Amino acid sequence: MHYLTIETETGLVRGTVSSAVAAVSEGEQVIALTNYDEAWLGRAIATQAGEDWQVEMPPAPPVDLAQLKHARKAGIDTAAERERLRWITGGAGQAMTYRAKVEEARRLASDPEPVQSSYPMLAAEIGITAPDLAGVAGVVSAAYEQWLAIGAAIEGVRLAAKRAVDEAKDAAAVAAITVSWPEA
């Protein structure tokens, strides 16, 4: 498979030249072009002359800015969730489990005479995460504090990027928005 990078009015696009698509004529192939967030831009004719490719782009269709902004913001939300999943296990049930563990750890911190059966989520980790209930609660609390920091940073980046999309005046401004997720 051959790849092309082409500069257009809305920025750089990368396309693939697929041999599965029937040749339009000798040395020509139809290519599908996508931009960085996979929005379909259309088809073009690519002509190969040796190692070089000549690309004939069709006229750009009019851009529905509201629709473009909506799609870009949805892409930002999806990317934010992917970023969160680098730090936590996904799933509604897992989120409920994390919440229950944190609530139990908080209760345990102020319980002068804890009974293990009152803390079933923490008790399930005894001997795995730590040797006793207090140790498990400490690990859970520390992990939660770490998550608060990274989760807040991700949320700040997500909301700032979506605001930038809302404030963009045209398609080029939307395409120019970059998102830099926080590192550990």
Side-chain angles (χ1 to χ4, degrees):
M1 183 167 298
H2 298 282
Y3 295 93
L4 299 173
T5 301
I6 303 157
E7 190 167 350
T8 68
E9 290 177 13
T10 59
L12 293 178
V13 294
R14 183 173 165 106
T16 59
V17 180
S18 172
S19 59
V21 178
V24 175
S25 66
E26 188 64 33
E28 292 185 346
Q29 295 185 29
V30 175
I31 62 172
L33 297 173
T34 58
N35 69 9
Y36 62 91
D37 64 353
E38 303 301 319
W40 185 73
L41 294 179
R43 293 187 181 274
I45 302 296
T47 307
Q48 187 176 20
E51 290 297 312
D52 297 326
W53 286 86
Q54 309 286 316
V55 178
E56 190 179 321
M57 295 288 292
V63 174
D64 180 337
L65 189 57
Q67 191 174 40
L68 178 65
K69 286 181 174 186
H70 177 77
R72 181 70 171 118
K73 291 192 309 186
I76 290 167
D77 288 340
T78 299
E81 185 62 11
R82 250 189 333 266
E83 190 62 24
R84 287 183 200 105
L85 291 174
R86 289 182 52 214
W87 306 96
I88 60 173
T89 304
Q94 190 62 51
M96 290 173 60
T97 299
Y98 286 151
R99 177 174 288 287
K101 287 180 186 184
V102 169
E103 288 173 5
E104 286 184 10
R106 286 181 178 156
R107 277 194 344 228
L108 182 70
S110 62
D111 188 344
E113 296 182 32
V115 177
Q116 188 171 311
S117 62
S118 297
Y119 304 94
M121 296 302 257
L122 297 179
E125 293 191 40
I126 293 174
I128 300 167
T129 301
D132 58 23
L133 200 58
V136 172
V139 170
V140 166
S141 294
Y144 181 68
E145 292 302 317
Q146 288 176 332
W147 166 246
L148 283 180
I150 194 66
I154 291 168
E155 186 66 356
V157 169
R158 182 185 78 85
L159 293 174
K162 290 177 74 169
R163 174 187 243 175
V165 170
D166 284 336
E167 294 172 352
K169 301 295 184 210
D170 55 31
V174 171
I177 294 168
T178 59
V179 180
S180 297
W181 300 108
E183 293 295 322

